[in-house]
Amino acid sequence: MSATNDRMSPEERRAGASLASIFALRMLGLFLILPVFSVYAKTLPGGDNLALVGFALGAYGLTQAIFQIPYGVASDYFGRKQVIVVGLLIFALGSFVAAWAPDMTWVIVGRVLQGAGAISAAVTALAADLTREEHRTKVMAMIGSSIGLVFALSLVGAPILYGWIGMGGLFIMTGVLALAAIVLLLKAVPPAPPPH
C-alpha cells in the first residue's frame, strides 16, 4: 500500500468531520433532554402517569428503530443527502411540537416525530460512499466519538440550560440544531455519488 493510501484525503477528512458534526448536532439536542425530562414531566398534565412519561422517553427510540431500514433503502433510490434533509426536517418538526406541547400526549407526538427523522442509516451510508474502504473505520470512529462527546457535554449542560431556558427552550434548541445540521450537510459535506 502506498503512502498516499495510508492517509485520508482532504475530502475524506472533510466528509468525516462534517458528518460527525451532523450527528453531534442532532444527538446533542436529544441528550440534553434526557437528564431533566423526568423533572419537567411532573409539571405537565399527564406527567404523573409513569407509563406515559416512560413512553415519551422511549417513543423516540421505537420510531427510530422502525424507520432506519426504510430510510436506508430510500437513500439508495433518492440519494443520501435528500433523505437526510427530509429526516432532519421531520426531527425538527417533532422538536417544535414537543416544545409547544400542552400535555404529555403531545410530548409523545413530538417524540414520535423526532424518532421518525431516523437519519443514522443514511448518514453512515453517506460516510461509506465518501470514503475509501481502508479509511472507513476512521470516519466511523469520528462519528462515534462525536456522539460520546456530546453525551458527556449534555450531562453537564442539561441542568444549566434547563434552568435558563426551560424544557420548551431545550426542545426549540434541539429543532434549531437539526436545521443547522441541514445547512452543514448542504454546505460542508462533499457531493454524494448519484443514487444506485
Side-chain angles (χ1 to χ4, degrees):
M1 187 179 289
S2 68
T4 54
N5 284 340
D6 290 341
R7 293 184 185 168
M8 291 174 69
S9 69
E11 190 170 80
E12 286 173 320
R13 279 195 297 274
R14 190 177 87 178
S18 54
L19 290 172
S21 299
I22 289 166
F23 251 106
L25 287 172
R26 179 170 159 268
M27 299 309 290
L28 178 62
L30 280 176
F31 290 151
L32 282 171
I33 289 158
L34 297 179
V36 291
F37 187 77
S38 60
V39 175
Y40 166 70
K42 294 173 185 172
T43 68
L44 284 179
D48 55 348
N49 184 327
L50 296 181
L52 281 181
V53 174
F55 189 63
L57 280 172
Y60 170 84
L62 180 65
T63 49
Q64 179 171 247
I66 291 168
F67 281 95
Q68 282 304 336
I69 292 174
Y71 271 57
V73 172
S75 76
D76 288 338
Y77 285 100
F78 304 113
R80 311 281 191 225
K81 286 190 175 185
Q82 290 86 336
V83 169
I84 294 169
V85 168
V86 168
L88 287 169
L89 286 172
I90 293 170
F91 178 86
L93 174 65
S95 301
F96 298 136
V97 167
W100 160 84
D103 57 33
M104 192 54 62
T105 302
W106 276 103
V107 172
I108 291 170
V109 171
R111 296 284 290 165
V112 164
L113 283 170
Q114 282 185 319
I119 59 161
S120 301
V123 171
T124 52
L126 181 56
D129 289 344
L130 296 174
T131 53
R132 289 167 289 166
E133 190 172 345
E134 60 266 28
H135 299 300
R136 207 159 287 150
T137 52
K138 295 174 191 170
V139 171
M140 297 304 173
M142 290 168 76
I143 292 171
S145 25
S146 75
I147 294 169
L149 178 63
V150 297
F151 180 70
L153 287 173
S154 68
L155 290 177
V156 175
I160 298 166
L161 286 170
Y162 181 66
W164 287 346
I165 60 177
M167 185 58 76
L170 282 176
F171 276 121
I172 289 170
M173 183 178 154
T174 300
V176 170
L177 289 172
L179 296 177
I182 294 174
V183 175
L184 186 62
L185 173 73
L186 299 177
K187 298 286 185 187
V189 177
H196 324 309

